[in-house]
Amino acid sequence: MKTLAAAALALSLAGPALAADLSAQAAAEALAADRAFHDRAQVVHPAQAFREFMESDGLLYGTGGDPAKGSAAIYALMGGDKPQRVKVEWVPKQAWGAASGEMAMTIGDWKRTWLDGSRVMTGNYVTVWRKTQDGWKGLIDIGEVDEAAAASTAPATPEAPPARP
């Protein structure tokens, strides 16, 4: 009986430690996914990278008005099959993971440079990630334009939302 009680106590104490381990692991995996997402956006149209890394029902905020809903809508909003007009770069800075290990959040800075040299915008972002069978996918992406950049640029067109794509 004492052995069973000791085992139960050990398991109850291990629970929080296991949760902390899953949280740290989720954060590390989400950071890696965010970096892979960025790297992919450097070799393909950013719209394609978003289609690949966002959940099929994911949301993109920061485009003005209602969010784009779903990876297909985000792809279309960002120019889809049209020639790439902007280079998008971002740097993930921090991540937090859920105790379950199934969700995480990354934050960072982004930069959007129009290929014709007409303007550059910067800002920051938050991405909520969900662990899926296919790896980590963006569930919600929220971008914000730096105030100085927002004041000095013309309004964005639907192909070029002001937030991180």
Side-chain angles (χ1 to χ4, degrees), residues 14-30 95-105 128-131 136:
L18 178 60
D21 289 346
L22 290 176
S23 175
Q25 181 178 345
E29 290 174 1
W96 296 267
S100 68
E102 299 297 313
M103 294 190 79
M105 175 180 69
V128 176
W129 296 87
R130 179 167 46 193
K131 192 172 192 175
W136 287 89

Side-chain angles (χ1 to χ4, degrees), residues 27 30-31 34 92 94-96 104-108 125-129 164:
L31 268 177
D34 204 345
Q94 276 187 289
W96 296 267
M105 175 180 69
T106 57
I107 62 169
Y125 71 92
V126 174
T127 303
V128 176
W129 296 87
R164 181 183 89 137

Side-chain angles (χ1 to χ4, degrees), residues 33-156:
D34 204 345
R35 290 181 183 120
F37 183 14
H38 170 269
D39 292 348
R40 182 68 174 148
Q42 304 314 298
V43 296
V44 299
H45 193 302
Q48 176 64 31
F50 266 80
R51 183 164 62 180
E52 294 173 13
F53 278 83
M54 290 297 289
E55 283 268 10
S56 61
D57 60 346
L59 299 173
L60 175 66
Y61 285 87
T63 60
D66 292 333
K69 298 177 184 175
S71 57
I74 295 167
Y75 176 76
L77 176 74
M78 295 181 67
D81 296 327
K82 295 177 185 173
Q84 183 174 340
R85 295 178 45 210
V86 296
K87 178 178 183 176
V88 182
E89 301 169 279
W90 62 91
V91 178
K93 292 179 141 184
Q94 276 187 289
W96 296 267
S100 68
E102 299 297 313
M103 294 190 79
M105 175 180 69
T106 57
I107 62 169
D109 298 320
W110 60 263
K111 179 180 176 182
R112 176 183 286 258
T113 306
W114 272 252
L115 297 178
D116 66 4
S118 64
R119 60 185 168 152
V120 174
M121 296 177 81
T122 59
N124 49 59
Y125 71 92
V126 174
T127 303
V128 176
W129 296 87
R130 179 167 46 193
K131 192 172 192 175
T132 72
Q133 304 180 79
D134 300 322
W136 287 89
K137 298 286 185 175
L139 181 61
I140 302 170
D141 190 272
I142 304 168
E144 180 177 68
V145 177
D146 288 334
E147 286 186 29
S152 66
T153 59

